[in-house]
């Protein structure tokens, strides 16, 4: 019976990936209120943990490299996902937000981001014992506000109502600008 079923289904690692992703999304959808408001977790860290658990380094169930995926395919898929997220941030901002609030967004993007980049590089340099160019590259990945994480923190959470609207808009605009300028 088992061999007949496996011949009929012909499961591949891509099929297991679809199954794991579907189970994760359904489980999160069913328990999202509990996960967000009781456990105070958002979906990106949980999705990352599930990806690491089922990925090639731990259980080896999901291995996109075995499907023939190259870095260019992964880069283009990431570009599409980030484009949708940046577009969503732009749609959610009030009309003419940048024409009224460009000084505060520019302040967040230029001096504050540069300061955060250098401080993070200092911590990376001290903790990881790397050279300065490597520390600067790692901190460039860690410093910008990710629009996916910003949306997860600022929307749908029990605590999102406590964050003033002007601060939510500025954080969303800054995170959208960070990722938006590197898309193309």
């Amino acid at each position: 019976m088992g061999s007949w079923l496996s011949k009929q289904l012909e499961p591949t690692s891509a099929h297991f990936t679809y199954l794991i992703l579907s189970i994760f999304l359904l489980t999160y959808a069913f328990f999202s209120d509990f996960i967000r408001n009781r456990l105070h977790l958002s979906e990106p860290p949980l999705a990352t943990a599930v990806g690491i658990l089922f990925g090639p380094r731990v259980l080896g169930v999901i291995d996109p490299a075995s499907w023939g995926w190259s870095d260019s395919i992964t880069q283009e898929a990431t570009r599409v996902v980030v484009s949708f997220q940046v577009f969503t941030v732009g749609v959610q901002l009030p009309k003419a937000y940048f024409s009224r609030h460009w000084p505060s967004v520019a302040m967040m993007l230029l001096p504050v981001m540069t300061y955060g980049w250098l401080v993070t590089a200092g911590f990376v340099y001290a903790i990881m014992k790397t050279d300065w160019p490597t520390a600067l590259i790692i901190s460039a990945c860690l410093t910008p506000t990710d629009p996916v994480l910003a949306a997860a923190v600022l929307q749908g959470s029990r605590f999102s109502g406590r964050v003033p609207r002007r601060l939510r808009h500025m954080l969303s605009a800054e995170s959208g600008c960070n990722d938006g300028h590197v898309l193309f």
Side-chain angles (χ1 to χ4, degrees):
M1 172 87 180
S3 77
W4 175 82
L5 185 61
S6 65
K7 287 180 185 177
Q8 293 297 316
L9 293 178
E10 297 178 10
T12 64
S13 61
H15 293 118
F16 287 121
T17 301
Y18 304 146
L19 180 66
I20 292 167
L21 182 62
S22 299
I23 290 171
F24 171 76
L25 291 174
L26 287 171
T27 304
Y28 188 83
F30 285 135
F31 300 108
S32 64
D33 188 48
F34 175 76
I35 293 170
R36 280 177 165 247
N37 296 323
R38 300 280 186 208
L39 300 178
H40 307 295
L41 295 171
S42 62
E43 58 270 14
L46 292 175
T48 302
V50 169
I52 291 171
L53 177 67
F54 289 102
R57 304 275 184 206
V58 180
L59 295 178
V61 176
I62 300 173
D63 187 12
S66 69
W67 309 341
W69 278 41
S70 63
D71 283 341
S72 63
I73 294 173
T74 305
Q75 180 182 2
E76 291 305 315
T78 304
R79 185 176 288 175
V80 169
V81 170
V82 172
S83 296
F84 278 119
Q85 187 61 38
V86 170
F87 180 78
T88 303
V89 167
V91 168
Q92 291 175 346
L93 287 173
K95 184 178 180 180
Y97 180 82
F98 283 103
S99 64
R100 291 189 313 254
H101 299 284
W102 68 267
S104 59
V105 175
M107 179 66 81
M108 291 290 291
L109 288 173
L110 297 174
V112 172
M113 184 63 62
T114 303
Y115 178 75
W117 175 51
L118 294 174
V119 168
T120 305
F123 280 114
V124 169
Y125 178 77
I127 293 170
M128 299 177 120
K129 308 289 189 223
T130 64
D131 57 346
W132 273 107
T134 304
L136 289 170
I137 290 171
I138 293 171
S139 69
C141 297
L142 297 175
T143 302
T145 307
D146 182 33
V148 176
L149 292 175
V153 169
L154 296 176
Q155 296 172 352
S157 168
R158 181 172 27 155
F159 302 109
S160 63
R162 297 181 184 173
V163 179
R165 188 171 20 165
R166 64 179 174 74
L167 191 58
R168 281 188 301 209
H169 291 319
M170 186 178 2
L171 184 59
S172 294
E174 186 263 342
S175 67
C177 288
N178 277 335
D179 280 2
H181 82 277
V182 295
L183 281 176
F184 303 102

